[in-house]
Amino acid sequence: MKRIALLGSTGSIGTQTLDVIRLHPERFRITALAAGRNVDLVRKQIEEFSPEIVSVHTKEDARTLQAEYGGRIRIVWGHEGLIEIAGSSCDFLMNAVSGSMGLEPTLRAIENRVDIGIANKETLVTAGHLVMEKAKEHGVRLLPVDSEHSAIAQCLEGNSLKEVSRLILTASGGSFRDYSRSDLDGVSVEDALNHPNWSMGAKITIDSATMMNKGFEVIEAHWLFGIPYERIDVLLHKESIIHSLVEYQDTSVIAQLGLPDMRVPIQYAMTYPERLDYPAKESLNLWEIGALHFQPPDFERYRSLRLAYDAGRAGGSMGAVLNAANEQAVAMFLDGKCAFLEIETAVEEALSRHQRIEHPDLDTILRADRETREHVQTLIT
Ligand code: NDP
Ligand code: MG
Protein backbone atom coordinates (compact mmCIF):
# COMPACT_ATOMS: atom_id res chain seq x y z
CA MET A 1 0.00 0.00 0.00
CA LYS A 2 1.59 3.29 -1.11
CA ARG A 3 0.79 6.20 1.22
CA ILE A 4 0.17 9.33 -0.83
CA ALA A 5 0.36 13.01 0.16
CA LEU A 6 -1.31 15.24 -2.42
CA LEU A 7 -0.69 18.97 -2.85
CA GLY A 8 -3.34 20.75 -4.93
CA SER A 9 -6.04 18.13 -4.29
CA THR A 10 -8.88 20.37 -5.52
CA GLY A 11 -7.25 21.25 -8.87
CA SER A 12 -7.27 19.59 -12.27
CA ILE A 13 -4.28 17.28 -11.66
CA GLY A 14 -5.25 16.82 -7.98
CA THR A 15 -8.77 15.58 -8.72
CA GLN A 16 -7.46 13.30 -11.48
CA THR A 17 -4.90 11.89 -9.04
CA LEU A 18 -7.80 11.02 -6.76
CA ASP A 19 -9.54 9.35 -9.75
CA VAL A 20 -6.49 7.10 -10.16
CA ILE A 21 -6.54 6.29 -6.44
CA ARG A 22 -10.24 5.38 -6.72
CA LEU A 23 -9.36 2.94 -9.51
CA HIS A 24 -6.76 1.16 -7.34
CA PRO A 25 -7.86 1.31 -3.69
CA GLU A 26 -5.79 -1.80 -2.95
CA ARG A 27 -2.61 0.00 -4.06
CA PHE A 28 -2.91 3.55 -2.69
CA ARG A 29 -4.03 5.30 0.45
CA ILE A 30 -4.28 9.09 0.90
CA THR A 31 -2.58 10.23 4.10
CA ALA A 32 -2.46 13.98 3.50
CA LEU A 33 -4.30 16.52 1.35
CA ALA A 34 -3.50 20.17 0.65
CA ALA A 35 -6.02 22.44 -1.03
CA GLY A 36 -6.31 26.19 -1.47
CA ARG A 37 -9.68 27.92 -1.06
CA ASN A 38 -12.12 25.27 -2.25
CA VAL A 39 -13.26 24.16 1.20
CA ASP A 40 -16.48 22.52 -0.04
CA LEU A 41 -14.53 20.14 -2.24
CA VAL A 42 -11.82 19.41 0.31
CA ARG A 43 -14.54 18.54 2.83
CA LYS A 44 -15.91 15.91 0.41
CA GLN A 45 -12.38 14.62 -0.12
CA ILE A 46 -11.85 14.32 3.64
CA GLU A 47 -15.07 12.30 3.96
CA GLU A 48 -14.07 9.99 1.12
CA PHE A 49 -10.34 9.50 1.76
CA SER A 50 -9.95 10.01 5.55
CA PRO A 51 -6.52 11.70 5.50
CA GLU A 52 -4.54 12.20 8.72
CA ILE A 53 -3.54 15.78 7.94
CA VAL A 54 -5.08 18.47 5.72
CA SER A 55 -3.91 21.93 4.69
CA VAL A 56 -6.02 24.83 3.39
CA HIS A 57 -5.04 28.34 2.36
CA THR A 58 -6.53 30.51 5.13
CA LYS A 59 -6.41 30.31 8.89
CA GLU A 60 -10.19 30.90 9.07
CA ASP A 61 -10.94 27.89 6.85
CA ALA A 62 -8.49 25.81 8.88
CA ARG A 63 -10.31 26.78 12.12
CA THR A 64 -13.69 25.91 10.62
CA LEU A 65 -12.50 22.50 9.48
CA GLN A 66 -10.70 21.81 12.76
CA ALA A 67 -13.94 22.52 14.63
CA GLU A 68 -15.83 20.13 12.34
CA TYR A 69 -13.33 17.28 12.52
CA GLY A 70 -12.09 17.76 16.10
CA GLY A 71 -9.12 15.62 17.06
CA ARG A 72 -9.69 13.13 14.21
CA ILE A 73 -7.63 15.10 11.67
CA ARG A 74 -4.89 17.66 12.00
CA ILE A 75 -5.66 20.81 10.01
CA VAL A 76 -2.86 23.20 9.02
CA TRP A 77 -2.88 26.25 6.79
CA GLY A 78 -1.02 28.65 4.49
CA HIS A 79 2.36 28.16 2.83
CA GLU A 80 3.70 26.60 6.03
CA GLY A 81 0.84 24.14 5.85
CA LEU A 82 1.85 23.08 2.33
CA ILE A 83 5.43 22.55 3.49
CA GLU A 84 4.23 20.56 6.49
CA ILE A 85 2.18 18.26 4.25
CA ALA A 86 5.26 17.75 2.05
CA GLY A 87 7.22 16.73 5.15
CA SER A 88 4.50 14.44 6.53
CA SER A 89 4.87 10.68 6.84
CA CYS A 90 4.13 9.18 3.38
CA ASP A 91 5.74 7.17 0.56
CA PHE A 92 4.98 9.47 -2.36
CA LEU A 93 4.21 13.16 -2.77
CA MET A 94 2.15 14.34 -5.71
CA ASN A 95 2.95 18.01 -6.17
CA ALA A 96 0.02 19.42 -8.16
CA VAL A 97 -0.12 23.02 -7.01
CA SER A 98 0.30 25.66 -9.64
CA GLY A 99 3.17 28.16 -9.58
CA SER A 100 6.43 28.69 -7.71
CA MET A 101 4.63 28.18 -4.38
CA GLY A 102 5.41 24.50 -5.09
CA LEU A 103 9.18 25.00 -4.79
CA GLU A 104 9.68 24.90 -1.01
CA PRO A 105 7.29 21.95 -0.54
CA THR A 106 9.27 20.08 -3.24
CA LEU A 107 12.53 20.74 -1.40
CA ARG A 108 10.92 19.65 1.89
CA ALA A 109 9.69 16.39 0.34
CA ILE A 110 13.20 15.69 -0.95
CA GLU A 111 14.57 16.15 2.58
CA ASN A 112 11.77 13.80 3.67
CA ARG A 113 13.21 11.23 1.18
CA VAL A 114 9.96 10.48 -0.59
CA ASP A 115 9.59 10.07 -4.34
CA ILE A 116 7.81 12.99 -5.96
CA GLY A 117 5.29 13.08 -8.81
CA ILE A 118 6.21 16.46 -10.24
CA ALA A 119 3.25 18.05 -12.00
CA ASN A 120 4.33 21.46 -10.64
CA LYS A 121 6.76 22.34 -13.46
CA GLU A 122 7.23 25.87 -12.07
CA THR A 123 9.38 24.29 -9.35
CA LEU A 124 11.91 23.22 -11.99
CA VAL A 125 11.68 26.42 -14.04
CA THR A 126 12.31 28.50 -10.93
CA ALA A 127 15.10 26.50 -9.30
CA GLY A 128 15.85 23.33 -11.27
CA HIS A 129 19.50 23.42 -10.18
CA LEU A 130 18.60 23.39 -6.44
CA VAL A 131 15.96 20.70 -6.85
CA MET A 132 18.08 18.32 -8.94
CA GLU A 133 21.14 18.74 -6.70
CA LYS A 134 19.11 18.04 -3.58
CA ALA A 135 17.26 15.10 -5.15
CA LYS A 136 20.60 13.53 -6.11
CA GLU A 137 22.01 14.12 -2.65
CA HIS A 138 19.04 12.42 -0.94
CA GLY A 139 18.48 9.68 -3.55
CA VAL A 140 14.96 10.90 -4.35
CA ARG A 141 13.28 10.26 -7.71
CA LEU A 142 11.37 13.01 -9.50
CA LEU A 143 8.75 11.23 -11.57
CA PRO A 144 7.33 13.31 -14.41
CA VAL A 145 3.58 13.85 -14.57
CA ASP A 146 3.53 16.26 -17.49
CA SER A 147 2.40 14.14 -20.46
CA GLU A 148 5.42 15.12 -22.61
CA HIS A 149 7.96 14.26 -19.92
CA SER A 150 6.19 11.06 -19.02
CA ALA A 151 6.39 10.20 -22.74
CA ILE A 152 10.12 10.98 -22.87
CA ALA A 153 10.79 8.96 -19.72
CA GLN A 154 8.96 6.03 -21.35
CA CYS A 155 10.92 6.44 -24.62
CA LEU A 156 14.16 6.42 -22.59
CA GLU A 157 13.33 3.24 -20.65
CA GLY A 158 15.95 0.58 -21.28
CA ASN A 159 18.18 2.94 -23.29
CA SER A 160 21.25 4.95 -22.40
CA LEU A 161 21.00 8.72 -22.09
CA LYS A 162 24.46 8.89 -23.65
CA GLU A 163 23.01 7.58 -26.92
CA VAL A 164 20.26 10.21 -27.13
CA SER A 165 20.73 12.79 -29.84
CA ARG A 166 17.51 14.86 -29.37
CA LEU A 167 14.39 15.16 -27.24
CA ILE A 168 11.36 16.30 -29.25
CA LEU A 169 8.51 17.78 -27.23
CA THR A 170 5.19 17.95 -29.02
CA ALA A 171 2.88 20.96 -28.61
CA SER A 172 -0.80 21.26 -29.44
CA GLY A 173 -0.44 25.01 -30.05
CA GLY A 174 -3.06 25.96 -27.43
CA SER A 175 -6.29 27.90 -27.81
CA PHE A 176 -4.95 30.26 -30.49
CA ARG A 177 -3.00 27.85 -32.65
CA ASP A 178 -4.77 28.95 -35.83
CA TYR A 179 -4.44 32.68 -35.09
CA SER A 180 -1.84 34.91 -36.73
CA ARG A 181 0.08 37.33 -34.52
CA SER A 182 -2.21 40.23 -35.40
CA ASP A 183 -5.30 38.13 -34.53
CA LEU A 184 -4.00 37.92 -30.94
CA ASP A 185 -4.56 41.60 -30.34
CA GLY A 186 -7.51 41.98 -27.98
CA VAL A 187 -8.39 38.27 -27.52
CA SER A 188 -10.55 37.68 -24.44
CA VAL A 189 -9.88 35.67 -21.28
CA GLU A 190 -12.77 33.40 -22.23
CA ASP A 191 -11.24 32.64 -25.67
CA ALA A 192 -7.84 31.99 -24.10
CA LEU A 193 -9.36 29.52 -21.61
CA ASN A 194 -10.87 27.44 -24.39
CA HIS A 195 -8.17 24.79 -25.02
CA PRO A 196 -8.90 22.48 -27.96
CA ASN A 197 -7.51 19.19 -26.53
CA TRP A 198 -6.99 19.35 -22.76
CA SER A 199 -9.12 20.47 -19.82
CA MET A 200 -6.70 22.01 -17.30
CA GLY A 201 -6.41 24.70 -14.62
CA ALA A 202 -6.73 28.34 -15.75
CA LYS A 203 -3.05 29.30 -15.40
CA ILE A 204 -1.63 26.46 -17.49
CA THR A 205 -4.38 26.97 -20.10
CA ILE A 206 -3.19 30.57 -20.58
CA ASP A 207 0.42 29.36 -20.61
CA SER A 208 -0.55 26.95 -23.39
CA ALA A 209 -2.14 29.77 -25.38
CA THR A 210 1.05 31.88 -25.14
CA MET A 211 3.24 28.74 -25.56
CA MET A 212 5.07 29.72 -22.37
CA ASN A 213 3.91 26.31 -21.17
CA LYS A 214 6.00 24.64 -23.89
CA GLY A 215 8.92 26.90 -23.02
CA PHE A 216 8.59 25.82 -19.39
CA GLU A 217 8.50 22.21 -20.55
CA VAL A 218 11.78 22.68 -22.46
CA ILE A 219 13.37 23.86 -19.19
CA GLU A 220 11.65 21.04 -17.27
CA ALA A 221 13.07 18.49 -19.76
CA HIS A 222 16.54 20.01 -19.45
CA TRP A 223 16.51 19.50 -15.67
CA LEU A 224 14.75 16.14 -15.54
CA PHE A 225 16.82 14.46 -18.25
CA GLY A 226 20.06 16.48 -18.16
CA ILE A 227 20.00 17.25 -21.90
CA PRO A 228 21.40 20.60 -23.15
CA TYR A 229 18.95 23.09 -24.66
CA GLU A 230 20.37 22.82 -28.19
CA ARG A 231 19.25 19.17 -28.21
CA ILE A 232 15.67 19.83 -27.07
CA ASP A 233 13.25 20.61 -29.91
CA VAL A 234 9.58 21.54 -30.04
CA LEU A 235 7.25 20.17 -32.71
CA LEU A 236 3.70 21.42 -33.27
CA HIS A 237 1.30 18.48 -33.41
CA LYS A 238 -2.28 19.59 -33.15
CA GLU A 239 -3.90 16.22 -32.39
CA SER A 240 -1.97 15.66 -29.07
CA ILE A 241 -1.71 11.93 -29.82
CA ILE A 242 2.10 11.65 -29.92
CA HIS A 243 3.03 12.95 -26.49
CA SER A 244 6.77 13.32 -27.28
CA LEU A 245 9.69 11.59 -29.00
CA VAL A 246 13.34 10.72 -28.45
CA GLU A 247 15.84 10.51 -31.30
CA TYR A 248 18.90 8.30 -30.80
CA GLN A 249 22.39 8.56 -32.31
CA ASP A 250 21.56 6.03 -35.01
CA THR A 251 18.65 8.31 -36.18
CA SER A 252 16.07 5.89 -34.77
CA VAL A 253 13.14 7.78 -33.19
CA ILE A 254 10.97 6.37 -30.40
CA ALA A 255 7.59 8.00 -29.70
CA GLN A 256 4.93 7.49 -27.04
CA LEU A 257 1.29 7.72 -28.12
CA GLY A 258 -2.08 7.79 -26.39
CA LEU A 259 -5.37 9.61 -26.18
CA PRO A 260 -5.09 12.92 -24.30
CA ASP A 261 -5.92 11.89 -20.72
CA MET A 262 -3.72 13.10 -17.85
CA ARG A 263 -4.74 10.18 -15.66
CA VAL A 264 -2.47 7.92 -17.71
CA PRO A 265 0.81 9.80 -16.94
CA ILE A 266 -0.41 10.46 -13.37
CA GLN A 267 -0.90 6.73 -12.82
CA TYR A 268 2.44 5.86 -14.42
CA ALA A 269 4.26 8.30 -12.12
CA MET A 270 2.53 6.71 -9.13
CA THR A 271 3.26 3.11 -10.12
CA TYR A 272 6.63 3.47 -11.90
CA PRO A 273 8.30 1.19 -12.97
CA GLU A 274 5.15 -0.94 -13.00
CA ARG A 275 2.12 -0.41 -15.24
CA LEU A 276 -1.39 -1.07 -13.94
CA ASP A 277 -4.71 -1.50 -15.73
CA TYR A 278 -6.43 1.68 -16.75
CA PRO A 279 -10.06 0.70 -17.21
CA ALA A 280 -11.50 4.20 -17.47
CA LYS A 281 -10.99 4.97 -21.13
CA GLU A 282 -11.03 3.38 -24.58
CA SER A 283 -7.85 2.44 -26.47
CA LEU A 284 -6.23 4.57 -29.11
CA ASN A 285 -7.60 3.76 -32.58
CA LEU A 286 -5.26 5.29 -35.12
CA TRP A 287 -7.52 4.31 -38.01
CA GLU A 288 -10.25 6.46 -36.51
CA ILE A 289 -7.88 9.41 -36.17
CA GLY A 290 -6.65 8.83 -39.71
CA ALA A 291 -3.94 11.48 -39.96
CA LEU A 292 -1.47 13.20 -37.65
CA HIS A 293 -0.05 16.63 -38.47
CA PHE A 294 3.28 18.27 -37.68
CA GLN A 295 4.77 21.73 -38.08
CA PRO A 296 7.88 23.49 -36.81
CA PRO A 297 7.22 26.25 -34.24
CA ASP A 298 7.45 29.86 -35.42
CA PHE A 299 9.53 31.69 -32.78
CA GLU A 300 8.25 35.09 -33.93
CA ARG A 301 4.63 34.01 -33.60
CA TYR A 302 5.33 32.33 -30.24
CA ARG A 303 7.68 34.84 -28.63
CA SER A 304 7.21 33.31 -25.18
CA LEU A 305 8.79 30.11 -26.42
CA ARG A 306 11.88 32.02 -27.52
CA LEU A 307 12.01 33.90 -24.19
CA ALA A 308 11.93 30.61 -22.31
CA TYR A 309 14.73 29.06 -24.40
CA ASP A 310 16.83 32.20 -23.85
CA ALA A 311 16.18 32.26 -20.09
CA GLY A 312 16.88 28.53 -19.83
CA ARG A 313 20.19 28.85 -21.68
CA ALA A 314 21.20 31.87 -19.61
CA GLY A 315 20.52 29.87 -16.42
CA GLY A 316 21.28 31.22 -12.93
CA SER A 317 18.39 33.33 -11.63
CA MET A 318 16.80 33.81 -15.08
CA GLY A 319 14.40 30.87 -14.72
CA ALA A 320 13.03 32.30 -11.46
CA VAL A 321 12.47 35.67 -13.14
CA LEU A 322 10.89 34.09 -16.22
CA ASN A 323 8.45 32.16 -14.06
CA ALA A 324 7.59 34.93 -11.60
CA ALA A 325 7.03 37.52 -14.35
CA ASN A 326 4.82 35.10 -16.20
CA GLU A 327 2.82 34.13 -13.09
CA GLN A 328 2.19 37.75 -12.22
CA ALA A 329 1.25 38.78 -15.77
CA VAL A 330 -1.02 35.76 -16.29
CA ALA A 331 -2.81 36.46 -12.99
CA MET A 332 -3.35 40.05 -14.13
CA PHE A 333 -4.64 38.92 -17.53
CA LEU A 334 -7.08 36.52 -15.82
CA ASP A 335 -8.23 39.42 -13.62
CA GLY A 336 -8.91 41.56 -16.69
CA LYS A 337 -6.05 43.94 -15.82
CA CYS A 338 -3.98 43.53 -18.96
CA ALA A 339 -4.21 42.38 -22.56
CA PHE A 340 -3.09 38.94 -23.74
CA LEU A 341 -0.03 40.25 -25.62
CA GLU A 342 1.07 42.25 -22.57
CA ILE A 343 1.91 38.97 -20.84
CA GLU A 344 4.92 38.34 -23.06
CA THR A 345 5.89 42.03 -23.13
CA ALA A 346 6.00 42.04 -19.32
CA VAL A 347 8.05 38.84 -19.21
CA GLU A 348 10.50 40.18 -21.80
CA GLU A 349 10.89 43.46 -19.91
CA ALA A 350 11.41 41.71 -16.56
CA LEU A 351 14.09 39.44 -18.05
CA SER A 352 15.93 42.27 -19.75
CA ARG A 353 16.01 44.40 -16.56
CA HIS A 354 17.19 41.58 -14.28
CA GLN A 355 20.89 41.33 -13.38
CA ARG A 356 21.52 37.61 -13.74
CA ILE A 357 22.86 35.88 -10.61
CA GLU A 358 25.01 32.76 -10.99
CA HIS A 359 24.17 29.73 -8.76
CA PRO A 360 21.44 31.45 -6.72
CA ASP A 361 20.61 29.86 -3.38
CA LEU A 362 17.04 29.51 -2.11
CA ASP A 363 16.89 32.96 -0.48
CA THR A 364 18.19 34.60 -3.64
CA ILE A 365 15.60 32.73 -5.72
CA LEU A 366 12.76 33.75 -3.39
CA ARG A 367 13.92 37.38 -3.47
CA ALA A 368 14.14 37.39 -7.29
CA ASP A 369 10.64 35.87 -7.42
CA ARG A 370 9.19 38.52 -5.10
CA GLU A 371 10.94 41.47 -6.74
CA THR A 372 9.96 40.34 -10.23
CA ARG A 373 6.28 40.13 -9.27
CA GLU A 374 6.45 43.65 -7.83
CA HIS A 375 8.21 44.91 -10.94
CA VAL A 376 5.61 43.38 -13.28
CA GLN A 377 2.82 44.99 -11.26
CA THR A 378 4.39 48.39 -11.84
CA LEU A 379 4.89 47.62 -15.53
CA ILE A 380 1.25 46.77 -16.11
CA THR A 381 -0.71 49.17 -13.92
P1 NDP B 1 -5.34 24.06 -10.92
O1 NDP B 1 -5.39 25.54 -10.96
O2 NDP B 1 -6.47 23.28 -11.49
O3 NDP B 1 -5.11 23.58 -9.42
C1 NDP B 1 -4.24 24.25 -8.55
C2 NDP B 1 -4.34 23.65 -7.17
O4 NDP B 1 -3.50 24.40 -6.29
C3 NDP B 1 -5.75 23.68 -6.57
O5 NDP B 1 -5.94 22.57 -5.75
C4 NDP B 1 -5.71 24.96 -5.73
O6 NDP B 1 -6.60 24.94 -4.63
C5 NDP B 1 -4.29 24.86 -5.19
N1 NDP B 1 -3.85 26.17 -4.72
C6 NDP B 1 -3.97 27.36 -5.33
N2 NDP B 1 -3.50 28.35 -4.55
C7 NDP B 1 -3.06 27.75 -3.42
C8 NDP B 1 -2.45 28.23 -2.22
N3 NDP B 1 -2.17 29.52 -2.04
N4 NDP B 1 -2.12 27.32 -1.27
C9 NDP B 1 -2.39 26.01 -1.44
N5 NDP B 1 -2.95 25.49 -2.56
C10 NDP B 1 -3.27 26.36 -3.51
O7 NDP B 1 -3.96 23.66 -11.63
P2 NDP B 1 -3.63 22.35 -12.48
O8 NDP B 1 -4.06 21.13 -11.76
O9 NDP B 1 -4.05 22.54 -13.89
O10 NDP B 1 -2.03 22.41 -12.53
C11 NDP B 1 -1.24 22.06 -11.40
C12 NDP B 1 0.20 21.93 -11.84
O11 NDP B 1 0.30 20.85 -12.77
C13 NDP B 1 0.74 23.17 -12.57
O12 NDP B 1 2.08 23.35 -12.26
C14 NDP B 1 0.61 22.80 -14.04
O13 NDP B 1 1.56 23.45 -14.85
C15 NDP B 1 0.87 21.29 -14.00
N6 NDP B 1 0.28 20.53 -15.10
C16 NDP B 1 -1.08 20.51 -15.25
C17 NDP B 1 -1.66 19.79 -16.28
C18 NDP B 1 -3.15 19.69 -16.41
O14 NDP B 1 -3.62 18.94 -17.26
N7 NDP B 1 -3.93 20.38 -15.62
C19 NDP B 1 -0.83 19.07 -17.25
C20 NDP B 1 0.57 19.12 -16.96
C21 NDP B 1 1.10 19.84 -15.93
P3 NDP B 1 -8.10 25.60 -4.65
O15 NDP B 1 -8.67 25.28 -5.99
O16 NDP B 1 -8.72 24.86 -3.51
O17 NDP B 1 -7.93 27.05 -4.39
MG1 MG C 1 2.48 19.19 -20.87
Side-chain angles (χ1 to χ4, degrees):
M1 182 71 81
K2 203 176 252 187
R3 295 169 308 146
I4 313 282
L6 170 57
L7 307 184
S9 67
T10 46
S12 165
I13 295 289
T15 52
Q16 294 181 86
T17 301
L18 294 174
D19 286 345
V20 169
I21 291 174
R22 280 188 195 99
L23 289 173
H24 305 288
E26 73 298 346
R27 296 292 297 254
F28 306 114
R29 181 164 73 82
I30 282 285
T31 52
L33 292 175
R37 295 176 181 276
N38 192 344
V39 178
D40 289 342
L41 183 53
V42 85
R43 208 179 257 121
K44 288 187 188 134
Q45 294 175 345
I46 293 173
E47 296 296 335
E48 182 178 354
F49 294 99
S50 304
E52 290 149 22
I53 172 166
V54 171
S55 177
V56 286
H57 182 56
T58 70
K59 192 175 180 179
E60 294 68 44
D61 287 338
R63 283 207 174 131
T64 309
L65 289 174
Q66 193 69 75
E68 288 170 29
Y69 293 100
R72 273 205 289 147
I73 302 172
R74 214 164 98 66
I75 313 276
V76 294
W77 58 279
H79 193 58
E80 289 307 313
L82 272 182
I83 297 172
E84 193 167 339
I85 299 280
S88 65
S89 175
C90 62
D91 305 310
F92 184 94
L93 177 90
M94 176 62 81
N95 187 346
V97 291
S98 174
S100 62
M101 78 172 86
L103 171 60
E104 286 174 279
T106 302
L107 295 171
R108 181 72 190 89
I110 295 173
E111 285 163 5
N112 199 19
R113 293 179 198 272
V114 292
D115 286 342
I116 301 170
I118 189 85
N120 177 247
K121 64 190 86 182
E122 294 91 344
T123 276
L124 292 169
V125 174
T126 300
H129 62 297
L130 295 182
V131 173
M132 298 315 292
E133 252 169 52
K134 201 169 203 143
K136 195 170 172 199
E137 185 191 329
H138 289 84
V140 162
R141 291 189 298 197
L142 290 172
L143 296 151
V145 170
D146 222 339
S147 55
E148 295 77 0
H149 305 73
S150 176
I152 288 172
Q154 293 177 59
C155 298
L156 289 171
E157 272 297 292
N159 293 295
S160 164
L161 264 178
K162 285 196 298 250
E163 293 162 2
V164 169
S165 60
R166 272 192 311 154
L167 305 183
I168 305 164
L169 296 167
T170 53
S172 70
S175 321
F176 300 134
R177 66 182 175 206
D178 300 323
Y179 286 41
S180 70
R181 188 128 184 116
S182 58
D183 293 338
L184 294 174
D185 212 7
V187 291
S188 69
V189 172
E190 203 187 1
D191 293 338
L193 286 177
N194 191 16
H195 195 286
N197 303 1
W198 300 93
S199 161
M200 310 181 283
K203 194 249 173 190
I204 185 179
T205 307
I206 304 303
D207 288 347
S208 301
T210 59
M211 277 281 232
M212 185 58 90
N213 180 53
K214 207 51 55 182
F216 281 1
E217 290 181 357
V218 168
I219 299 176
E220 184 185 7
H222 167 77
W223 289 115
L224 285 175
F225 306 112
I227 300 285
Y229 288 99
E230 57 274 18
R231 294 201 279 125
I232 305 176
D233 289 349
V234 169
L235 175 68
L236 291 178
H237 163 47
K238 66 181 180 184
E239 290 86 7
S240 298
I241 293 296
I242 297 185
H243 296 310
S244 279
L245 314 89
V246 175
E247 185 191 67
Y248 287 90
Q249 280 171 329
D250 61 358
T251 71
S252 193
V253 177
I254 301 184
Q256 189 263 344
L257 286 73
L259 291 168
D261 180 347
M262 283 309 296
R263 288 171 292 189
V264 177
I266 289 170
Q267 176 170 301
Y268 188 62
M270 290 168 66
T271 62
Y272 177 84
E274 237 185 300
R275 288 182 192 272
L276 294 187
D277 267 2
Y278 181 62
K281 200 148 179 178
E282 79 271 31
S283 310
L284 171 66
N285 285 333
L286 283 174
W287 60 89
E288 273 176 14
I289 293 162
L292 299 176
H293 297 85
F294 307 98
Q295 253 179 282
D298 173 346
F299 285 87
E300 278 314 303
R301 161 72 180 77
Y302 294 113
R303 259 166 58 194
S304 296
L305 184 58
R306 180 173 53 75
L307 291 173
Y309 264 106
D310 290 348
R313 281 198 191 97
S317 51
M318 296 309 262
V321 173
L322 175 81
N323 177 70
N326 182 64
E327 266 190 57
Q328 184 62 43
V330 169
M332 293 177 90
F333 172 68
L334 285 169
D335 272 357
K337 292 187 181 136
C338 73
F340 182 75
L341 287 174
E342 280 180 277
I343 301 173
E344 64 187 24
T345 317
V347 173
E348 188 157 26
E349 173 70 16
L351 286 168
S352 69
R353 289 274 211 88
H354 178 70
Q355 296 278 341
R356 179 182 169 282
I357 303 159
E358 188 76 33
H359 300 305
D361 60 11
L362 180 60
D363 285 343
T364 310
I365 292 281
L366 296 177
R367 189 173 351 104
D369 180 290
R370 199 170 50 244
E371 288 174 1
T372 302
R373 286 168 200 261
E374 286 162 11
H375 179 208
V376 168
Q377 271 175 325
T378 64
L379 284 176
I380 289 178
T381 47

